[in-house]
């Protein structure tokens, strides 16, 4: 029997409802042995167990030890009995490892367990598993195959992160590689736990979380349990990331097929149910993420632990369509988590609400409809994360909509959740860079006698396959959609996309400009010019984030907003505090470590990170001379005014950085000093036409449609398998 294959292919049994548990230890053992070791371990993150946790874990070990001994192989065991025995032992190892990992990470802090209590729990667990490994070795000729399989699968789970793109390694995957090198075959579980403790507690994100320097979220749909231990409290998803999750973890497609087999009503004419199928597939990927952050949401009273779900981009500009989709997802998720909480919160006080989804809806700021959608979702207590937002005026207007909706909620006793206002800083910078690149190329082309041939030569050097300069040029943009360029203007735009000119400091561009005398007469002069431009543009997203945060959440303005909320909406001071505390700025789409390190704040800030970006930040933190204390509340850091002056020469940055007259009036009423802020900001009716918005929405829509088509294809396969006519 292949022990690894048995453990890897195991599927959990149905959880009986309500649970038939006697006490916490009995509950953990039963839940784990049904195939839910992570849920069983998370059940112990109960503040009521402070001072008693080691005793409960001792009782769990006693019961699991009996199961482990009873699962010794015996002559005459059938294949099915052998399999069941292997799985019991695997689940026993798994649940103890998960309990120990929770003691290494921020979960221990959130639940309120002391370091001493955590160390005692881990000591008991390591001793128990060491004995189990010895039992295995005595039975298996010196090896511990079940312990090895459990540990191997955990490391493989870490290494799944960005597995479909090996050129861009994720931090969690690298952590897995580091741990793998330290596994001792004579002490498999103990060496794994020792290595994991070091990986977790030496990580800069754990240190920042422990110090309370900022909150962190993940821009990726898998690997979240490992990040939770580092202090991550949020995950953002969108159509692109949902598709990547299914690519990185193909087992999700098997889960989707199982779901469809249980819901044959979706298999009649799948084409007509395309959006419903895409929604179901996304929720299947989403629910495990919500499970990971469920204890965080419960322990922090929904002020953290939220999952951001991107609403269908095809209805992003429809208030009715978006609200309808959100209600379907929210109610389905609520029913799912009522059952999940049956187990997670067994034995908790009944005053803790069961089933409330730890979800917020990503509302695209692609049209003025986003204002109404945001306000109405917040009024229902459902929560939002505004995305496709790049400008101060967009974000400020949508924060005001959040405040209005949340005020309606709290006046009816509806508890608000943590909600987010995203700054897609990297995408703003990409757009600005593309504008600058196109302008430089146009100026340089004036010096070339054959513009098209010169442009084609540059295109080839930048990696674009251009065979016939006179024909149609085709290539990916880097925004998630492909481009066909026919005119000279379109071809300049294609070459300027981030796929080819991020960063600007590409040698072919420097040579091309130098020959035309744009930016300098030598390649070296032009390269220095491009480096300065690249550095300047690289501050754009950070500056927008800083301005939005300063307006609403800085020490000098926070009290003014509390007073405004009380007077404008008739709230109590406590209700106003609840609202203001629960709105975070969310810097996203990072491109370099400083995009994180310059937007840290102890309040009202959650930095969301992509896996390869996390690795860049981690590596930066290990460089000589790096001092984390230098970045304390770095969002308040002042930057060189010349950078802003240079950026303001780019019209789209001015639109991103300035206010609108409407916002200026509101801020004056609140008492915010906006002298010098300018009134040329992007107006709501312009949101959908802004370059970053157009590109992002096109990419999101194409990614969603491709993913939706794939779900229809899979539905047709299952329909054929079940003999259902489609």
């Amino acid at each position: 029997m292949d022990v690894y294959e048995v453990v890897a292919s195991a599927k959990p049994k149905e959880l009986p409802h309500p649970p038939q548990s006697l006490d916490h230890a009995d509950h953990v053992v039963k839940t784990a042995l049904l195939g839910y070791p992570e849920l069983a371990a998370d059940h112990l993150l109960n503040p009521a167990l402070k001072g008693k946790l080691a005793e409960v874990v001792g009782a769990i070990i006693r019961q699991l030890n009996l199961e482990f001994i009873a699962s010794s192989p015996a002559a005459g065991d059938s294949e099915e009995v052998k399999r069941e025995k292997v799985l019991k032992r695997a689940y026993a190892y798994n649940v103890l490892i998960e309990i120990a990992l929770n003691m290494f990470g921020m979960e221990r802090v959130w639940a309120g367990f002391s370091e001493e209590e955590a160390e005692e729990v881990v000591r008991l667990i390591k001793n128990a598993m060491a004995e189990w490994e010895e039992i295995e070795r005595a039975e298996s000729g010196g090896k511990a195959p079940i312990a090895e399989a459990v540990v191997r699968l955990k490391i493989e789970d870490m290494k799944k992160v960005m597995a479909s793109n090996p050129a861009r390694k994720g931090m969690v995957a690298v952590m897995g590689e580091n741990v793998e090198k330290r596994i001792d075959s004579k002490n498999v579980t103990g060496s794994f736990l020792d290595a994991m403790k070091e990986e977790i507690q030496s990580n800069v994100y754990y240190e920042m979380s422990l110090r309370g320097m900022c909150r962190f979220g993940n821009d990726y749909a898998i690997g979240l349990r490992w990040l939770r231990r580092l202090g991550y409290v949020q995950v953002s998803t969108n159509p692109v990331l949902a598709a990547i999750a299914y690519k990185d973890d193909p087992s999700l497609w098997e889960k989707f097929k199982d779901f469809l087999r249980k819901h044959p009503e979706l298999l009649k004419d799948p084409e007509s149910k395309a959006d419903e199928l895409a929604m179901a597939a996304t929720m299947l990927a989403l629910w495990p993420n919500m499970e990971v952050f469920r204890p965080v949401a419960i322990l922090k009273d929904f002020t953290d632990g939220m999952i951001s779900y991107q609403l269908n981009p095809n209805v992003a500009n429809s208030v009715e369509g978006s609200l309808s989709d959100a209600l379907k997802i929210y109610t389905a998720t609520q029913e799912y988590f009522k059952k999940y909480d049956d187990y997670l919160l067994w034995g908790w006080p009944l005053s803790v609400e069961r089933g409330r989804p730890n979800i917020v809806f990503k509302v695209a700021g692609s049209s003025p409809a986003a204002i109404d959608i945001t306000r109405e979702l917040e009024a229902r207590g459902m929560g939002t994360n505004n995305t496709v937002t790049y400008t101060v005026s967009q974000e400020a207007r949508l924060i005001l909509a959040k405040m209005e909706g949340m005020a309606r909620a709290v006046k009816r006793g509806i508890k608000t959740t943590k909600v987010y206002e995203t700054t897609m800083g990297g995408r703003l910078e990409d757009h600005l860079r593309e504008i600058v690149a196109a302008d430089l190329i146009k100026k340089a082309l004036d010096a070339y006698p054959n513009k098209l041939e010169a442009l084609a030569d540059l295109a080839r050097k930048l990696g674009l396959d251009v065979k016939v300069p006179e024909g149609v040029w085709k290539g990916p943009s880097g925004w998630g959609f492909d481009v066909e360029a026919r005119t000279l203007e379109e071809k300049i735009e294609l070459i300027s996309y981030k796929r080819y000119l991020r960063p600007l400091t590409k040698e072919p561009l420097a040579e091309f400009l130098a020959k035309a005398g744009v930016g300098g007469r030598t390649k070296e002069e032009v390269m220095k010019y491009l480096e300065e431009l690249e550095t300047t543009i690289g501050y754009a997203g950070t500056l927008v984030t800083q301005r939005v945060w300063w307006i609403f959440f800085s020490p000098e303005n926070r009290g003014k907003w509390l007073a405004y909320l009380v007077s404008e909406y008739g709230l109590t001071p406590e209700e106003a505090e609840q609202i203001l505390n629960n709105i975070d700025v969310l810097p996203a789409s990072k491109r370099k470590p400083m995009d994180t390190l310059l937007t840290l704040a102890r309040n009202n800030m959650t930095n969301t990170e992509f896996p390869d970006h996390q690795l860049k930040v981690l590596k930066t933190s290990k460089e000589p001379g790096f001092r984390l204390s230098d970045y304390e509340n770095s969002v308040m850091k002042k930057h060189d005014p010349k950078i802003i002056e240079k950026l303001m020469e780019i019209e789209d940055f001015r639109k991103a950085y300035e206010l609108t007259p409407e916002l200026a009036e509101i801020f004056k009423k609140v008492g915010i000093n906006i002298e010098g802020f300018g009134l040329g900001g992007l107006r709501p009716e312009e949101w959908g036409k802004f370059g970053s918005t157009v590109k992002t929405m096109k990419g999101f829509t194409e990614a969603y449609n491709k993913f939706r088509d794939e779900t229809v294809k899979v539905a047709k396969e299952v329909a054929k398998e079940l003999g259902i006519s489609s």
Side-chain angles (χ1 to χ4, degrees):
M1 174 179 284
D2 186 337
V3 169
Y4 170 82
E5 183 57 34
V6 169
V7 179
S9 62
K11 292 185 179 180
K13 298 174 182 176
E14 289 290 326
L15 287 170
H17 292 278
Q20 301 298 311
S21 303
L22 300 173
D23 53 35
H24 289 295
D26 181 59
H27 185 72
V28 168
V29 170
K30 283 177 176 173
T31 304
L33 295 182
L34 284 168
Y36 302 88
E38 293 88 358
L39 170 57
D42 285 353
H43 167 74
L44 294 178
L45 296 173
N46 181 345
L49 295 179
K50 283 187 288 187
K52 304 169 188 173
L53 185 61
E55 182 181 338
V56 172
V57 170
I60 291 167
I61 291 171
R62 182 189 70 79
Q63 294 181 40
L64 288 176
N65 192 54
L66 296 177
E67 296 285 352
F68 200 95
I69 294 168
S71 296
S72 295
D77 281 350
S78 67
E79 287 300 304
E80 185 56 32
V81 169
K82 287 179 185 176
R83 183 179 177 280
E84 284 297 317
K85 286 183 174 180
V86 167
L87 286 182
K88 274 192 178 180
R89 286 184 165 185
Y91 291 143
Y93 278 122
N94 208 334
V95 70
L96 291 192
I97 287 173
E98 287 296 325
I99 294 169
L101 291 172
N102 282 348
M103 294 299 102
F104 295 152
M106 284 297 295
E107 296 94 332
R108 173 193 69 78
V109 178
W110 296 327
F113 299 123
S114 68
E115 283 189 50
E116 294 75 20
E117 188 168 19
E119 287 172 3
E120 176 62 10
V121 165
V122 173
R123 184 183 70 83
L124 299 176
I125 285 171
K126 289 170 74 173
N127 289 341
M129 292 196 299
E131 283 203 17
W132 292 350
E133 285 189 45
E134 287 307 308
I135 292 172
E136 277 203 84
R137 290 189 180 92
E139 297 168 349
S140 305
K143 293 188 176 181
I146 302 173
E148 289 172 5
V150 170
V151 167
R152 178 180 163 189
L153 283 165
K154 290 201 175 295
I155 292 171
E156 286 176 357
D157 183 59
M158 299 174 81
K159 290 164 72 175
K160 282 179 187 175
V161 175
M162 295 194 79
S164 63
N165 191 352
R168 294 174 62 189
K169 279 196 174 183
M171 181 180 70
V172 168
V174 171
M175 289 171 67
E177 291 172 359
N178 293 342
V179 169
E180 189 172 36
K181 294 171 187 173
R182 295 182 55 187
I183 300 301
D184 180 355
S185 60
K186 295 179 182 178
N187 179 22
V188 178
T189 54
S191 61
F192 173 75
L193 289 180
D194 288 343
M196 277 307 313
K197 181 179 182 181
E198 185 173 327
E199 284 295 318
I200 291 167
Q201 296 187 356
S202 67
N203 191 291
V204 69
Y205 285 102
Y206 175 83
E207 185 64 29
M208 288 190 286
S209 299
L210 194 63
R211 293 190 192 184
M213 291 179 69
C214 203
R215 291 180 171 89
F216 296 98
N218 196 49
D219 253 346
Y220 204 71
I222 60 176
L224 301 176
R225 198 168 177 85
W226 306 103
L227 290 171
R228 188 184 78 182
R229 278 148 190 152
L230 299 176
Y232 279 65
V233 292
Q234 186 265 354
V235 61
S236 292
T237 60
N238 59 42
V240 178
L241 297 178
I244 292 173
Y246 274 79
K247 190 174 180 181
D248 284 353
D249 187 1
S251 68
L252 286 171
W253 286 117
E254 292 306 314
K255 290 179 182 178
F256 182 53
K257 289 177 183 178
D258 285 343
F259 174 85
L260 293 175
R261 292 181 188 111
K262 295 173 185 175
H263 294 84
E265 69 277 7
L266 292 173
L267 301 175
K268 285 273 189 183
D269 190 15
E271 297 278 1
S272 69
K273 298 183 176 71
D275 284 319
E276 200 172 344
L277 288 166
M279 185 185 294
T282 306
M283 283 196 292
L284 283 173
L286 188 74
W287 284 337
N289 297 349
M290 294 177 71
E291 290 171 5
V292 168
F293 287 115
R294 192 80 184 149
V296 184
I298 299 298
L299 289 168
K300 295 199 163 196
D301 202 17
F302 289 83
T303 62
D304 271 323
M306 308 310 291
I307 310 304
S308 296
Y309 176 89
Q310 177 88 45
L311 290 169
N312 180 351
N314 289 315
V315 296
N317 298 338
S318 165
V319 176
E320 185 179 342
S322 294
L323 293 178
S324 175
D325 271 7
L327 186 60
K328 286 178 191 173
I329 295 158
Y330 197 83
T331 52
T333 302
Q334 182 167 270
E335 291 309 305
Y336 178 86
F337 276 99
K338 281 180 181 178
K339 291 187 175 182
Y340 189 82
D341 286 351
D342 234 4
Y343 279 79
L344 179 68
L345 302 180
W346 182 88
W348 283 55
L350 293 178
S351 57
V352 177
E353 186 180 7
R354 270 71 169 168
R356 178 173 184 165
N358 50 314
I359 188 173
V360 295
F361 292 99
K362 293 183 87 167
V363 178
S366 53
S367 80
I371 299 169
D372 295 328
I373 297 167
T374 298
R375 182 180 57 247
E376 292 308 311
L377 286 174
E378 296 291 356
R380 299 174 186 184
M382 291 163 75
T384 60
N385 175 1
N386 296 114
T387 185
V388 194
T389 40
Y390 320 88
T391 72
V392 173
S393 58
Q394 273 180 304
E395 295 172 40
R397 185 63 191 84
L398 290 166
I399 287 175
L400 292 172
K402 287 182 192 295
M403 288 179 171
E404 184 181 350
M406 293 168 87
R408 284 167 54 193
V410 298
K411 287 174 77 171
R412 290 176 288 147
I414 298 174
K415 187 186 298 177
T416 62
T417 66
K418 175 69 73 178
V419 298
Y420 306 96
E421 193 60 47
T422 295
T423 301
M424 299 186 85
R427 287 175 179 262
L428 171 63
E429 291 165 15
D430 289 341
H431 170 61
L432 298 178
R433 185 185 296 106
E434 289 167 1
I435 290 173
V436 168
D439 186 55
L440 290 172
I441 292 169
K442 285 175 192 173
K443 287 177 181 175
L445 280 176
D446 288 339
Y448 285 90
N450 189 327
K451 290 182 172 58
L452 193 55
E453 187 55 53
L455 194 64
D457 183 56
L458 175 61
R460 292 188 195 99
K461 290 176 180 176
L462 291 172
L464 193 62
D465 186 16
V466 178
K467 294 186 176 68
V468 185
E470 294 79 13
V472 177
W473 293 7
K474 297 180 182 180
S477 63
W479 290 82
F481 58 86
D482 294 335
V483 178
E484 290 189 359
R486 290 173 171 78
T487 66
L488 180 66
E489 194 79 18
E490 288 172 346
K491 289 170 181 175
I492 293 170
E493 184 179 348
L494 171 57
I495 293 174
S496 301
Y497 273 120
K498 63 181 181 178
R499 172 67 176 78
Y500 311 102
L501 282 175
R502 188 177 78 187
L504 285 170
T505 51
K506 296 283 184 76
E507 269 201 33
L509 179 63
E511 290 170 354
F512 177 81
L513 297 177
K515 284 179 185 177
V518 174
R521 287 291 172 185
T522 67
K523 190 174 83 171
E524 291 71 24
E525 288 174 347
V526 174
M527 189 62 80
K528 184 179 179 183
Y529 173 70
L530 292 176
E531 285 170 357
E532 290 173 355
L533 274 177
E534 185 66 37
T535 299
T536 299
I537 290 169
Y539 277 93
T542 295
L543 289 167
V544 169
T545 295
Q546 287 184 320
R547 177 163 280 190
V548 172
W549 187 88
W550 180 85
I551 288 170
F552 289 97
F553 308 116
S554 60
E556 56 261 58
N557 291 335
R558 184 180 176 80
K560 297 170 186 175
W561 283 107
L562 290 173
Y564 172 81
L565 288 169
V566 169
S567 64
E568 184 74 9
Y569 299 112
L571 304 178
T572 67
E574 293 75 21
E575 289 169 338
E577 280 276 3
Q578 181 190 151
I579 290 171
L580 204 60
N581 288 344
N582 265 349
I583 302 173
D584 271 17
V585 178
L586 189 83
S589 65
K590 316 290 184 56
R591 302 294 182 246
K592 53 195 176 300
M594 284 299 136
D595 292 345
T596 292
L597 294 171
L598 292 179
T599 54
L600 301 180
R602 287 186 167 272
N603 63 285
N604 299 96
M605 186 76 81
T606 300
N607 267 276
T608 187
E609 318 278 86
F610 210 70
D612 59 333
H613 178 80
Q614 295 161 359
L615 185 60
K616 292 175 189 174
V617 173
L618 180 62
K619 287 180 177 178
T620 298
S621 74
K622 295 180 182 297
E623 290 175 358
F626 178 87
R627 293 190 311 173
L628 188 55
S629 58
D630 290 345
Y631 300 98
E632 179 74 33
N633 276 322
S634 59
V635 74
M636 293 192 285
K637 180 181 174 65
K638 302 293 184 185
H639 298 289
D640 186 347
K642 291 180 182 176
I643 291 173
I644 300 174
E645 287 174 19
K646 190 71 176 173
L647 281 169
M648 291 295 274
E649 294 173 8
I650 307 171
E651 183 184 359
D652 274 14
F653 178 76
R654 183 177 55 77
K655 289 180 179 178
Y657 200 52
E658 294 189 350
L659 305 177
T660 63
E662 176 200 20
L663 287 170
E665 286 302 312
I666 294 170
F667 294 158
K668 287 175 184 174
K669 179 179 178 182
V670 177
I672 311 297
N673 179 9
I674 55 169
E675 185 180 349
F677 274 35
L679 300 177
L682 206 66
R683 300 187 304 275
E685 60 270 23
E686 298 174 317
W687 291 359
K689 300 170 188 174
F690 191 62
S692 301
T693 304
V694 173
K695 296 166 187 173
T696 299
M697 288 305 293
K698 188 174 181 182
F700 278 4
T701 302
E702 289 198 13
Y704 173 82
N705 290 341
K706 285 179 184 176
F707 182 61
R708 183 181 62 183
D709 291 345
E710 191 65 27
T711 64
V712 171
K713 179 183 172 185
V714 171
K716 287 179 177 178
E717 290 172 7
V718 176
K720 185 177 179 181
E721 168 200 316
L722 298 179
I724 297 173
S725 173
S726 59

